[in-house]
Amino acid sequence: MINIAAIEYYLPKNILTNDDIAKEFPEWSAEKIKSKIGVESRHIADKNETALDMAFEACQKLFSHYDKNKVDFILFCTQSPDYFLPTTACILQDKLGLSKAIGALDFNLGCSGFVYGLTLAKGLIASGIAKNILLVTAETYSKFLDKEDKSNRTIFGDGAAVTIIEKDNAKTDLHFSVGTDGSGYNNLIVQNGASRNKEEKPILFMKGPKIFTFAVENIPGLVADTLQKNSLTIDDIDLFVFHQASSYMLNYLRELCNIPEEKFFMEIEHIGNTVSASIPIALKLASEKGKISAGSRVMVVGFGVGYSWGAGIIEF
């Protein structure tokens, strides 16, 4: 039904290393951060660099080898848009010089955003509305982080990924699983800056243990449900690519799900948690490392802020 035809990504030039953080917080050594999070460095957007800017750079790489005139819909996932309105997708259409006879919309999701984007793309293709969709996932969480928040500054990096999703009747129609539990909304939240508390500076607040517990309670069932929906087993999957949250969380979830280490891809050491962009970046890196090739069957699993979670299987 759908095919991922191409993925490209962009990471900002500014790099924040563990040594940089340790200089500000001497009680945290670079080695301690690496052992706890699995990250040595992360890319941070420049003061005037936005999700739109990063998406544009990623698209420039993409369109060096993919015909941009084929794109007939833009789905732009971000929680750090350039403006409250208009939608960033509309501005991107103009900046890229794409046809005006296309659809373009933003949707607000975090770490499950890429998987949800795949479900939206699949629906647009199945309904005949689009054939070649540009799925953009771009985030600048660093702009929401308090300078004194040493914990979240070790975790999050900025980045953008762009993915082309095409109609492909030769592909198997594989099914997705999604879930939502809004009762956990305040455990990962930017409380200020929007309509409810618009006078205050927007700062990201995360209760890490609550997020960890949420993932542990929901992700093993999500993986099992997705396999069951598709009448598959773990043995039928060539590679599992989870949202790249932290090495500790990912290793814990892998063991809970009984996924063999050789079938589990993790690459966050010099990238960090890039929120909705983390899965497509990981897919691109896995492909470059020979972990994914033609015919590979890959399960993607996203989870986080909302609470929101989703998983699906892609055939390459």
mmCIF file of all heavy atoms in Angstrom, residues 18 23 35 48 73 80 86 89 101 117 122 131 141 196 204 210 225 245 297 299-300:
data_model
loop_
_atom_site.group_PDB
_atom_site.id
_atom_site.type_symbol
_atom_site.label_atom_id
_atom_site.label_comp_id
_atom_site.label_asym_id
_atom_site.label_seq_id
_atom_site.Cartn_x
_atom_site.Cartn_y
_atom_site.Cartn_z
ATOM 1 N N ASN A 18 28.884 16.636 26.256
ATOM 2 C CA ASN A 18 28.791 16.352 27.684
ATOM 3 C C ASN A 18 29.815 17.159 28.470
ATOM 4 O O ASN A 18 29.565 17.561 29.607
ATOM 5 C CB ASN A 18 28.999 14.863 27.946
ATOM 6 C CG ASN A 18 27.822 14.035 27.456
ATOM 7 O OD1 ASN A 18 26.781 14.560 27.099
ATOM 8 N ND2 ASN A 18 27.992 12.720 27.461
ATOM 9 N N LYS A 23 30.902 21.373 32.496
ATOM 10 C CA LYS A 23 31.519 22.634 32.916
ATOM 11 C C LYS A 23 30.519 23.509 33.663
ATOM 12 O O LYS A 23 30.881 24.252 34.585
ATOM 13 C CB LYS A 23 32.062 23.379 31.697
ATOM 14 C CG LYS A 23 33.311 22.763 31.094
ATOM 15 C CD LYS A 23 33.741 23.499 29.837
ATOM 16 C CE LYS A 23 34.943 22.809 29.191
ATOM 17 N NZ LYS A 23 35.326 23.466 27.908
ATOM 18 N N SER A 35 26.825 7.414 30.532
ATOM 19 C CA SER A 35 26.359 6.133 31.069
ATOM 20 C C SER A 35 24.870 6.163 31.385
ATOM 21 O O SER A 35 24.190 5.147 31.278
ATOM 22 C CB SER A 35 27.158 5.781 32.328
ATOM 23 O OG SER A 35 26.909 6.715 33.365
ATOM 24 N N ASN A 48 18.354 31.944 15.922
ATOM 25 C CA ASN A 48 17.378 32.329 14.908
ATOM 26 C C ASN A 48 17.017 31.190 13.952
ATOM 27 O O ASN A 48 16.386 31.420 12.925
ATOM 28 C CB ASN A 48 17.901 33.533 14.108
ATOM 29 C CG ASN A 48 18.077 34.763 14.976
ATOM 30 O OD1 ASN A 48 17.224 35.077 15.804
ATOM 31 N ND2 ASN A 48 19.203 35.450 14.807
ATOM 32 N N PHE A 73 1.317 16.355 -1.377
ATOM 33 C CA PHE A 73 0.786 16.676 -0.055
ATOM 34 C C PHE A 73 1.959 16.822 0.910
ATOM 35 O O PHE A 73 2.931 16.071 0.827
ATOM 36 C CB PHE A 73 -0.148 15.566 0.451
ATOM 37 C CG PHE A 73 -1.273 16.066 1.319
ATOM 38 C CD1 PHE A 73 -2.561 16.166 0.829
ATOM 39 C CD2 PHE A 73 -1.048 16.445 2.637
ATOM 40 C CE1 PHE A 73 -3.603 16.632 1.623
ATOM 41 C CE2 PHE A 73 -2.066 16.912 3.439
ATOM 42 C CZ PHE A 73 -3.357 17.007 2.927
ATOM 43 N N SER A 80 7.114 22.846 17.836
ATOM 44 C CA SER A 80 7.785 24.146 17.934
ATOM 45 C C SER A 80 7.669 24.876 16.592
ATOM 46 O O SER A 80 8.672 25.120 15.927
ATOM 47 C CB SER A 80 9.253 23.958 18.339
ATOM 48 O OG SER A 80 9.903 22.993 17.517
ATOM 49 N N PRO A 86 0.370 31.311 10.290
ATOM 50 C CA PRO A 86 -0.194 30.194 9.545
ATOM 51 C C PRO A 86 0.582 28.899 9.806
ATOM 52 O O PRO A 86 1.608 28.903 10.498
ATOM 53 C CB PRO A 86 -0.018 30.625 8.091
ATOM 54 C CG PRO A 86 1.252 31.433 8.117
ATOM 55 C CD PRO A 86 1.193 32.176 9.424
ATOM 56 N N ALA A 89 3.635 24.163 7.279
ATOM 57 C CA ALA A 89 3.606 23.412 6.018
ATOM 58 C C ALA A 89 3.308 24.319 4.837
ATOM 59 O O ALA A 89 3.869 24.142 3.749
ATOM 60 C CB ALA A 89 2.560 22.298 6.097
ATOM 61 N N ALA A 101 -1.078 23.154 -6.325
ATOM 62 C CA ALA A 101 -2.175 22.183 -6.367
ATOM 63 C C ALA A 101 -1.889 21.001 -5.444
ATOM 64 O O ALA A 101 -2.029 19.833 -5.829
ATOM 65 C CB ALA A 101 -2.380 21.701 -7.802
ATOM 66 N N GLY A 117 2.282 10.179 11.502
ATOM 67 C CA GLY A 117 2.389 10.717 10.151
ATOM 68 C C GLY A 117 2.244 9.645 9.096
ATOM 69 O O GLY A 117 1.620 9.855 8.052
ATOM 70 N N LYS A 122 -0.917 7.068 4.946
ATOM 71 C CA LYS A 122 -1.593 5.876 4.440
ATOM 72 C C LYS A 122 -3.060 6.163 4.138
ATOM 73 O O LYS A 122 -3.598 5.749 3.104
ATOM 74 C CB LYS A 122 -1.481 4.743 5.455
ATOM 75 C CG LYS A 122 -2.160 3.447 5.012
ATOM 76 C CD LYS A 122 -2.042 2.360 6.064
ATOM 77 C CE LYS A 122 -2.806 1.103 5.624
ATOM 78 N NZ LYS A 122 -2.761 0.045 6.646
ATOM 79 N N LYS A 131 -0.692 10.761 -3.722
ATOM 80 C CA LYS A 131 0.122 9.610 -4.137
ATOM 81 C C LYS A 131 1.555 9.697 -3.624
ATOM 82 O O LYS A 131 2.194 8.669 -3.408
ATOM 83 C CB LYS A 131 0.137 9.503 -5.665
ATOM 84 C CG LYS A 131 -1.202 9.133 -6.289
ATOM 85 C CD LYS A 131 -1.069 9.004 -7.796
ATOM 86 C CE LYS A 131 -2.399 8.606 -8.435
ATOM 87 N NZ LYS A 131 -2.284 8.496 -9.921
ATOM 88 N N TYR A 141 13.226 21.510 20.530
ATOM 89 C CA TYR A 141 12.910 21.490 21.964
ATOM 90 C C TYR A 141 13.898 22.328 22.763
ATOM 91 O O TYR A 141 13.581 22.794 23.858
ATOM 92 C CB TYR A 141 12.947 20.045 22.479
ATOM 93 C CG TYR A 141 11.608 19.349 22.546
ATOM 94 C CD1 TYR A 141 10.577 19.658 21.661
ATOM 95 C CD2 TYR A 141 11.374 18.364 23.507
ATOM 96 C CE1 TYR A 141 9.365 18.994 21.718
ATOM 97 C CE2 TYR A 141 10.160 17.695 23.578
ATOM 98 C CZ TYR A 141 9.157 18.007 22.683
ATOM 99 O OH TYR A 141 7.954 17.356 22.750
ATOM 100 N N ARG A 196 -3.590 29.346 27.403
ATOM 101 C CA ARG A 196 -3.952 29.192 28.815
ATOM 102 C C ARG A 196 -3.039 29.990 29.736
ATOM 103 O O ARG A 196 -3.472 30.538 30.738
ATOM 104 C CB ARG A 196 -3.943 27.709 29.200
ATOM 105 C CG ARG A 196 -4.501 27.437 30.593
ATOM 106 C CD ARG A 196 -4.843 25.978 30.803
ATOM 107 N NE ARG A 196 -5.896 25.512 29.916
ATOM 108 C CZ ARG A 196 -7.208 25.701 30.139
ATOM 109 N NH1 ARG A 196 -7.605 26.380 31.201
ATOM 110 N NH2 ARG A 196 -8.093 25.229 29.285
ATOM 111 N N LEU A 204 9.909 23.834 28.951
ATOM 112 C CA LEU A 204 9.532 22.428 28.967
ATOM 113 C C LEU A 204 9.749 21.837 30.361
ATOM 114 O O LEU A 204 10.776 22.068 30.999
ATOM 115 C CB LEU A 204 10.352 21.649 27.936
ATOM 116 C CG LEU A 204 9.997 20.165 27.773
ATOM 117 C CD1 LEU A 204 10.051 19.777 26.301
ATOM 118 C CD2 LEU A 204 10.962 19.282 28.582
ATOM 119 N N LYS A 210 7.875 9.318 35.481
ATOM 120 C CA LYS A 210 6.506 9.085 35.010
ATOM 121 C C LYS A 210 6.504 8.653 33.544
ATOM 122 O O LYS A 210 5.749 7.754 33.142
ATOM 123 C CB LYS A 210 5.668 10.352 35.174
ATOM 124 C CG LYS A 210 5.401 10.759 36.602
ATOM 125 C CD LYS A 210 4.344 9.884 37.239
ATOM 126 C CE LYS A 210 3.929 10.421 38.598
ATOM 127 N NZ LYS A 210 2.896 9.569 39.241
ATOM 128 N N ASP A 225 0.515 -6.145 20.107
ATOM 129 C CA ASP A 225 -0.726 -5.882 19.375
ATOM 130 C C ASP A 225 -0.460 -5.653 17.892
ATOM 131 O O ASP A 225 -1.199 -6.139 17.033
ATOM 132 C CB ASP A 225 -1.426 -4.660 19.976
ATOM 133 C CG ASP A 225 -2.748 -4.353 19.300
ATOM 134 O OD1 ASP A 225 -3.648 -5.219 19.324
ATOM 135 O OD2 ASP A 225 -2.889 -3.242 18.742
ATOM 136 N N ALA A 245 14.779 7.501 22.577
ATOM 137 C CA ALA A 245 14.555 8.272 23.801
ATOM 138 C C ALA A 245 15.840 8.413 24.617
ATOM 139 O O ALA A 245 16.350 9.512 24.826
ATOM 140 C CB ALA A 245 13.459 7.603 24.632
ATOM 141 N N ARG A 297 11.695 -5.947 6.469
ATOM 142 C CA ARG A 297 10.440 -5.665 7.173
ATOM 143 C C ARG A 297 10.821 -5.044 8.524
ATOM 144 O O ARG A 297 11.477 -5.685 9.345
ATOM 145 C CB ARG A 297 9.649 -6.952 7.372
ATOM 146 C CG ARG A 297 8.228 -6.762 7.863
ATOM 147 C CD ARG A 297 7.543 -8.113 7.985
ATOM 148 N NE ARG A 297 7.064 -8.602 6.697
ATOM 149 C CZ ARG A 297 6.817 -9.880 6.440
ATOM 150 N NH1 ARG A 297 7.020 -10.796 7.369
ATOM 151 N NH2 ARG A 297 6.369 -10.249 5.263
ATOM 152 N N MET A 299 9.704 -2.770 12.036
ATOM 153 C CA MET A 299 8.674 -2.219 12.909
ATOM 154 C C MET A 299 9.181 -0.903 13.498
ATOM 155 O O MET A 299 10.282 -0.839 14.039
ATOM 156 C CB MET A 299 8.301 -3.167 14.049
ATOM 157 C CG MET A 299 7.245 -2.552 14.981
ATOM 158 S SD MET A 299 6.780 -3.563 16.420
ATOM 159 C CE MET A 299 5.703 -4.762 15.630
ATOM 160 N N VAL A 300 8.359 0.141 13.373
ATOM 161 C CA VAL A 300 8.676 1.438 13.977
ATOM 162 C C VAL A 300 7.733 1.651 15.154
ATOM 163 O O VAL A 300 6.538 1.360 15.076
ATOM 164 C CB VAL A 300 8.558 2.585 12.958
ATOM 165 C CG1 VAL A 300 9.678 2.496 11.938
ATOM 166 C CG2 VAL A 300 7.210 2.585 12.255
#
